[in-house]
Every structure is written in structure tokens, then in C-alpha cells.
């Protein structure tokens, strides 16, 4: 198994913020799967969804994880929120490193990104309802591939970071 540190969780759970801080503190390279895909496709996620559809985007996520399995070692990897929904991806993640699930409440997600226009799945009339539904469906799958589950509610990024570092440095 590879020794990457993988951050998973719902949109707005803090993966990007924590990923940046963690990679800086540990002096490790940070890979963000959304950014990896955007670079490869030369277009933003919103455009990929609009032009090629969600199914095509999900294929790109699998391609990304497969490629990281051959290239990434000792890095911090922040996953797009829906990537662990595919069983194949969950199996690949198990080989790629230790998976940290950053658990968050629907309300906290809504507060952080309820009005965001860059998340295609939240461009609906009632984003909170959509967030609650998706989170309920996804929680078990996030848990299924998690080595560690961290509750982020009411915690600062620094507190979450500390919890991750405690596990890594054990
Ligand atoms: C998605 C999450 C997004 C991005 C895409 C789909 C999802 O990533 O991959 O909009 O299905 O939850 P973030 O979790 O980084 O926002």
C-alpha cells in the first residue's frame, strides 16, 4: 500500500483548506483531484458537467485515481466530494493511502457553500434539501473507505489538523 494521506468528505467540509495547511506543515506535495481533472481537461468542473455530463466527469475521477496509484507517493491528496461513491474508486483508495473522512453537518455545508455557483450539484432551488439528501446517501460510503472518521463540527481547521497529525505521527 502507498503511504499517501487522503482527505475525503462532502463538498464544503474543509478538505481544501485542511489539505493546504497539512501539506505545508508536513512539507508534502498537495494533489486536489478536481484541479487535476480541470488541468487535464483544460476547463473548469462546471463546464465539464455542462458539456460532457456527470457520468463523464465520474470516469475522469477514476482515471485520476488510477494514475495517482502509479505516480503518487507520500503526498496529500484531497478528493472531490463524490469520488468515493464508486465502488471501484473506494477499492483503489484503499491501496493509495490512509483515508481521513472529514465529517460535517448539512447546516455547516449550507452555511459555507450554499450560494456557491461552482458546484453543479448544488445549483437547485433548495440547496439545503439537496445537501441533506446527498449527505445522508453518502455518509455510509465515506465511512466504508475511511481509516479515520473525524467530526469537524464546531472545530477550527487547526483542531482538525491536529487530529490528523496525531494519527499520522502515532
Ligand atoms: C462533487 C464535489 C466537487 C466536485 C464536483 C462534484 C460532488 O468537489 O468534484 O462538483 O459530487 O460532491 P468538492 O468536494 O471539492 O467541492
Amino acid at each position: 500500500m502507498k503511504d499517501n494521506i487522503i482527505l475525503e468528505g462532502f463538498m464544503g467540509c474543509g478538505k481544501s483548506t485542511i489539505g493546504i495547511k497539512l501539506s505545508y506543515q508536513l512539507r508534502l506535495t498537495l494533489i486536489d483531484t478536481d484541479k487535476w481533472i480541470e488541468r487535464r481537461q483544460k476547463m473548469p468542473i462546471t463546464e465539464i458537467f455542462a458539456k460532457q455530463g456527470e457520468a463523464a466527469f465520474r470516469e475522469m475521477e477514476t482515471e485520476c485515481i488510477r494514475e495517482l496509484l502509479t505516480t503518487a507517493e507520500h503526498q496529500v491528496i484531497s478528493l472531490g466530494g463524490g469520488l468515493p461513491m464508486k465502488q471501484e474508486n473506494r477499492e483503489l483508495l484503499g491501496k493509495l493511502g490512509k483515508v481521513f473522512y472529514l465529517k460535517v453537518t448539512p447546516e455547516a455545508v449550507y452555511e459555507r457553500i450554499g450560494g456557491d455557483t461552482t458546484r453543479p450539484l448544488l445549483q437547485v432551488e433548495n440547496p439545503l434539501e439537496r445537501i441533506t439528501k446527498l449527505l445522508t446517501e453518502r455518509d455510509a460510503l465515506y465511512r466504508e473507505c475511511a481509516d479515520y472518521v473525524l467530526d469537524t463540527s464546531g472545530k477550527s481547521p487547526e483542531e482538525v489538523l491536529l487530529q490528523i497529525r496525531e494519527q499520522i505521527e502515532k
Side-chain angles (χ1 to χ4, degrees):
M1 198 188 79
K2 304 259 182 167
D3 71 345
N4 297 291
I5 301 163
I6 304 167
L7 305 177
E8 67 158 3
F10 201 74
M11 295 174 259
C13 72
K15 288 167 297 196
S16 304
T17 310
I18 304 280
I20 290 169
K21 289 178 186 283
L22 189 64
S23 62
Y24 179 77
Q25 286 185 4
L26 301 178
R27 306 279 186 270
L28 299 178
T29 305
L30 171 68
I31 296 172
D32 178 308
T33 61
D34 285 343
K35 296 210 172 78
W36 189 97
I37 291 169
E38 287 180 330
R39 238 187 348 260
R40 179 70 54 106
Q41 299 297 318
K42 299 189 181 65
M43 60 176 113
I45 304 278
T46 39
E47 206 176 321
I48 299 174
F49 267 70
K51 289 195 171 145
Q52 308 188 44
E54 182 174 349
F57 175 72
R58 299 302 175 196
E59 278 307 309
M60 294 168 197
E61 289 188 312
T62 302
E63 186 192 323
C64 172
I65 291 301
R66 279 209 203 103
E67 203 164 308
L68 291 182
L69 257 177
T70 67
T71 55
E73 187 73 71
H74 207 51
Q75 299 185 346
V76 177
I77 302 172
S78 168
L79 305 178
L83 188 146
M85 297 308 105
K86 222 177 173 181
Q87 187 183 344
E88 180 184 357
N89 294 353
R90 291 197 295 281
E91 285 166 12
L92 295 172
L93 289 173
K95 299 179 189 159
L96 189 60
K98 287 271 176 273
V99 180
F100 290 82
Y101 171 24
L102 309 185
K103 204 172 148 43
V104 70
T105 62
E107 291 73 23
V109 172
Y110 181 68
E111 212 170 280
R112 288 185 198 157
I113 59 162
D116 186 298
T117 55
T118 66
R119 264 82 171 200
L121 296 181
L122 301 186
Q123 306 316 301
V124 291
E125 206 169 301
N126 188 338
L128 179 58
E129 196 178 273
R130 167 64 64 89
I131 291 165
T132 308
K133 181 173 177 288
L134 283 175
L135 242 178
T136 310
E137 289 167 7
R138 289 178 173 189
D139 182 62
L141 298 174
Y142 287 135
R143 284 172 186 281
E144 195 184 304
C145 63
D147 293 288
Y148 307 97
V149 180
L150 305 180
D151 194 349
T152 68
S153 23
K155 298 209 174 81
S156 67
E158 281 67 30
E159 287 171 302
V160 179
L161 262 175
L162 210 64
Q163 279 184 288
I164 297 175
R165 293 196 56 170
E166 270 169 19
Q167 296 301 336
I168 298 168
E169 286 154 17
K170 245 183 199 168

